[in-house]
Amino acid sequence: MTAPMLPRRYRVTENCRENADTRTLSLAPVDEPLPRFASGQFTMVYVFGVGEIPLSVSGSPLVRDQTLVHTVRAVGAVSAALCRAEPGTVIGVRGPFGTSWDVGRSRGRDLLFIAGGIGLAPLRPALLEALASRRDYGLVSVVAGAKTPPEHLFGVEDECWRANGVAVLRTVDRRQTDPCTGLPRPWTGSTGLVTEVLPRVRLRPGRTTAYLCGPEAMMTHTGAALIRLGLRPEDIELSLERNMRCGAGLCGHCQLGPDFVCLDGPVTTYDHAEPLLAVPEL
Ligand SMILES: Cc1cc2nc3c(=O)[nH]c(=O)nc-3n(C[C@H](O)[C@H](O)[C@H](O)COP(=O)(O)OP(=O)(O)OC[C@H]3O[C@@H](n4cnc5c(N)ncnc54)[C@H](O)[C@@H]3O)c2cc1C
Ligand code: FES
């Protein structure tokens, strides 16, 4: 067994409800902590007796107390077990793995974060990193899409983001109807796909770097829409997902064409990813 395959023990210190199926877990090291992570990287999180899954880090890369933060949506056995994990539960964590958002390279430029659903979690570290040196960046915008209003993540942070000069635009595929009155429930955000609300974002294409994370179809359509609005493909970064086992380039489970997503990704540029994603079943 090589070192990247050995999980370190972490203890759940907080389990915060984000919405009906999503929790944010804070983890404190029991053993020697893992090396520092960069925004966009992921870890392999092991629930003893259940299994192991890849999860992007959703906390700030700048924290000094060695806490790891992950936001997880319950879709199956391991993710559901994590969502149920009470404070005090000990789990295993390996990593950090993979490539990162290149926020540092974009100093002096405008930043546009575009998320679909749980995709806001892997983007959050990059946003927090930029906000920590806000004056180094121009316009900073967040466009977050979700199916319905309660599915939006980190809504309580909007006020703080706005106070730091972030333009936050939240949108839903559909509003919810009140079962008693039959009327639409109050919603102050937009309605429509992220691609439909993009024209409402103040965009300076030549000086903007865009960061996308969400379902694959959302990222390919959003990337194409940004290019139509004048962004260069190499100024669009996105985070890919593939089935993973080792997370460390050893098993080949995450292969996408010539890439191992755990090594060459998850973060890559649109010009690199788009031709690969265009091949069905690759
Ligand atoms: C690099 C990377 C980062 C990730 N970051 C996060 C994160 O921050 N938060 C989070 O909630 N999830 C994240 N995921 C997805 C997460 O790993 C899967 O939801 C998890 O593996 C599901 O495992 P399970 O045992 O709970 O469910 P399973 O029983 O394995 O799967 C349940 C259902 O989910 C589907 N599914 C499984 N894996 C994926 C996947 N990768 N993408 C889409 N559908 C899938 C299956 O087809 C099945 O229908 C990430 C995945 C990758 C590759
Ligand atoms: S998950 Fe094993 S090589 Fe990528």
Side-chain angles (χ1 to χ4, degrees):
M1 223 185 224
T2 55
M5 298 305 291
L6 282 177
R8 308 246 177 113
R9 289 177 303 161
Y10 275 72
R11 193 182 305 282
V12 176
T13 54
E14 264 186 85
N15 178 333
C16 291
R17 184 184 193 274
E18 298 289 347
N19 59 39
D21 61 7
T22 305
R23 300 288 177 128
T24 293
L25 302 181
S26 301
L27 309 173
V30 175
D31 303 319
E32 191 191 335
L34 293 169
R36 289 180 78 84
F37 72 93
S39 302
Q41 286 193 298
F42 68 95
T43 69
M44 296 298 295
V45 180
Y46 183 34
V47 182
F48 297 113
V50 185
E52 190 182 47
I53 58 171
L55 289 177
S56 299
V57 181
S58 66
S60 169
L62 306 174
V63 290
R64 294 183 178 278
D65 66 359
Q66 296 167 333
T67 304
L68 260 184
V69 178
H70 283 295
T71 301
V72 55
R73 187 159 76 95
V75 297
V78 184
S79 51
L82 279 169
C83 285
R84 286 193 305 268
E86 300 282 349
T89 307
V90 173
I91 58 178
V93 188
R94 299 188 286 120
F97 296 120
T99 53
S100 55
W101 303 112
D102 206 351
V103 184
R105 181 181 66 97
S106 295
R107 279 177 199 276
R109 294 171 59 82
D110 295 349
L111 309 179
L112 170 57
F113 298 93
I114 307 181
I118 189 76
L120 193 53
L123 286 171
R124 184 168 172 263
L127 174 64
L128 297 179
E129 189 182 337
L131 293 188
S133 45
R134 179 67 186 87
R135 275 180 294 188
D136 291 348
Y137 299 94
L139 303 173
V140 179
S141 311
V142 173
V143 179
K147 289 200 179 83
T148 60
E151 288 170 77
H152 269 285
L153 294 180
F154 313 126
V156 291
E157 297 184 18
D158 283 7
E159 203 177 309
C160 169
W161 295 350
R162 287 193 173 111
N164 281 284
V166 180
V168 183
L169 202 167
R170 290 195 180 257
T171 186
V172 292
D173 296 356
R174 58 179 188 281
R175 292 176 64 175
Q176 284 194 311
T177 305
D178 187 316
C180 298
T181 62
L183 295 171
R185 285 205 169 130
W187 166 244
T188 53
S190 301
T191 306
L193 302 175
V194 290
T195 43
E196 291 167 337
V197 301
L198 266 185
R200 293 178 46 195
V201 177
R202 191 173 161 216
L203 199 60
R204 302 186 287 189
R207 53 171 302 180
T208 300
T209 307
Y211 304 89
L212 317 184
C213 192
E216 218 157 273
M218 168 258 165
M219 292 195 290
T220 47
H221 285 115
T222 306
L226 288 171
I227 288 165
R228 284 195 299 276
L229 289 168
L231 262 78
R232 298 183 313 164
E234 58 271 33
D235 289 333
I236 303 171
E237 296 184 8
L238 48 83
S239 183
L240 297 172
E241 276 196 19
R242 279 296 176 275
N243 241 325
M244 290 186 183
R245 290 285 184 275
C246 71
L250 302 171
C251 72
H253 263 86
C254 63
Q255 189 152 8
L256 174 67
D259 289 358
F260 280 179
V261 173
C262 68
L263 287 183
D264 306 302
V267 176
T268 186
T269 51
Y270 184 80
D271 56 335
H272 180 76
E274 197 275 335
L276 299 176
L277 298 179
V279 181
E281 308 289 328
L282 192 62

